[in-house]
Amino acid sequence: MNVLDMRGVRKSFGAVEVLKGIDLTVNKGEVVSVIGPSGSGKSTLLRCATLLESMDDGELYYMGECAARSENGQSVYSRNVNAFRRYFSLVFQSFNLFPHFTVLKNVIDAPVNVQKRNKEEVRAEAMKLLDKMGLAEKADAYPCQLSGGQQQRASIVRALAMKPEMLFFDEPTSALDPELTGEVLKVIKQLADEKMTMVVVTHEMAFARAVSDRVIFIDGGVIVEQGRPDELFGNAGNERTRRFLSNYNR
């Protein structure tokens, strides 16, 4: 089943058209990496998919349900659009943890107060997730007491605690040094091995090559090329893709 389906997505900011008719389907259990130069539209695509930005035109489906559809050249959103947020969680590059909450409270706050789940049940699940991510002893710590890698792992736990169908990552390692980057990428690879559906916007080409089922190269607001990692990295068919990848040591 398709977890996510985006059709003909367009988005402009003023006179600048950032997305120019994007079609993207993500299947259950699939890991899709989105790569491309800065300003190519990667983060805007993610923000449209996660309802943080409204599409100017196009259609958006989660689990076969329509969140937005095209009518007369614009997107009309479902009146119950917030219900679609239950299908996904988003991990930000800047962590976005609440500084005045402990790690544990950061994790359990939304499941308890937004999803209205049983607090003790959520707490027990959260502690299992924190233990899995090597953060059990940090449950009562505050974000300022954690390293960048620990903060990002805590934000991944917070996302998983919502029990989403899929996870979105917006350049999850861009704020980290190389050692901490490896720490976070290891966690994402573990999730990939467990068949978590994920879309990862990343500049980490080695990671995209090793972990993804499919890699999408975006430039100028369009999908220039996509395919299996061995296809894209080993024998890209588009000259623009080859030029972009040549800038990375592989």
Side-chain angles (χ1 to χ4, degrees):
M1 172 183 281
N2 297 341
V3 179
L4 171 69
D5 194 4
M6 304 178 77
R7 305 173 187 172
V9 174
R10 295 182 178 275
K11 178 65 181 178
S12 296
F13 295 101
V16 180
E17 190 175 21
V18 179
L19 299 179
K20 303 174 182 177
I22 295 285
D23 294 320
L24 173 62
T25 297
V26 181
N27 300 312
K28 190 171 181 61
E30 188 178 26
V31 180
V32 177
S33 287
V34 182
I35 63 172
S38 297
S40 60
K42 303 186 301 298
S43 290
T44 299
L45 173 63
L46 215 62
R47 291 178 66 82
C48 286
T50 56
L51 304 169
L52 292 174
E53 293 282 359
S54 297
M55 305 178 297
D56 295 332
D57 192 16
E59 299 177 358
L60 175 64
Y61 295 82
Y62 275 100
M63 305 298 290
E65 297 180 46
C66 182
R69 66 185 187 279
S70 287
E71 278 189 14
N72 301 319
Q74 63 181 10
S75 288
V76 178
Y77 281 79
S78 165
R79 281 180 293 182
N80 196 26
V81 71
N82 281 335
F84 289 89
R85 299 183 193 277
R86 73 186 187 276
Y87 290 126
F88 61 82
S89 289
L90 173 61
V91 178
F92 298 89
Q93 56 183 294
S94 54
F95 321 136
N96 281 24
L97 296 170
F98 293 113
H100 56 295
F101 285 178
T102 64
V103 169
L104 181 60
K105 185 163 174 55
N106 264 286
V107 172
I108 70 173
D109 187 63
V112 171
N113 294 312
V114 177
Q115 295 181 330
K116 306 301 181 184
R117 287 159 52 196
N118 178 272
K119 185 173 183 179
E120 289 309 310
E121 179 183 307
V122 170
R123 189 183 188 284
E125 291 173 359
M127 288 306 300
K128 285 183 181 178
L129 285 169
L130 288 170
D131 185 53
K132 180 180 176 180
M133 298 292 179
L135 291 172
E137 79 268 12
K138 300 293 186 181
D140 295 324
Y142 288 87
C144 65
Q145 297 172 306
L146 305 182
S147 70
Q150 289 170 332
Q151 288 187 62
Q152 191 60 293
R153 279 186 281 149
S155 70
I156 293 171
V157 171
R158 180 179 61 180
L160 290 170
M162 298 293 285
K163 296 188 173 181
E165 291 289 339
M166 71 183 298
L167 287 179
F168 290 94
F169 293 85
D170 187 7
E171 298 187 13
T173 60
S174 66
L176 304 176
D177 64 36
E179 184 177 3
L180 298 180
T181 290
E183 178 184 311
V184 171
L185 294 180
K186 182 179 178 182
V187 169
I188 299 175
K189 186 179 188 309
Q190 180 182 349
L191 294 172
D193 291 341
E194 296 169 1
K195 298 301 180 184
M196 183 73 198
T197 308
M198 293 185 282
V199 173
V200 186
V201 170
T202 184
H203 286 299
E204 299 288 338
M205 297 299 114
F207 167 80
R209 187 173 192 171
V211 175
S212 309
D213 296 301
R214 181 158 46 104
V215 179
I216 291 173
F217 173 59
I218 291 183
D219 191 25
V222 300
I223 294 178
V224 175
E225 191 169 0
Q226 62 179 302
R228 296 195 315 268
D230 58 328
E231 295 172 339
L232 209 70
F233 287 93
N235 189 29
N238 187 280
E239 171 59 29
R240 179 67 187 96
T241 311
R242 291 195 295 270
R243 194 162 67 248
F244 174 78
L245 292 175
S246 72
N247 293 323
Y248 292 87
N249 294 321
R250 304 196 301 275

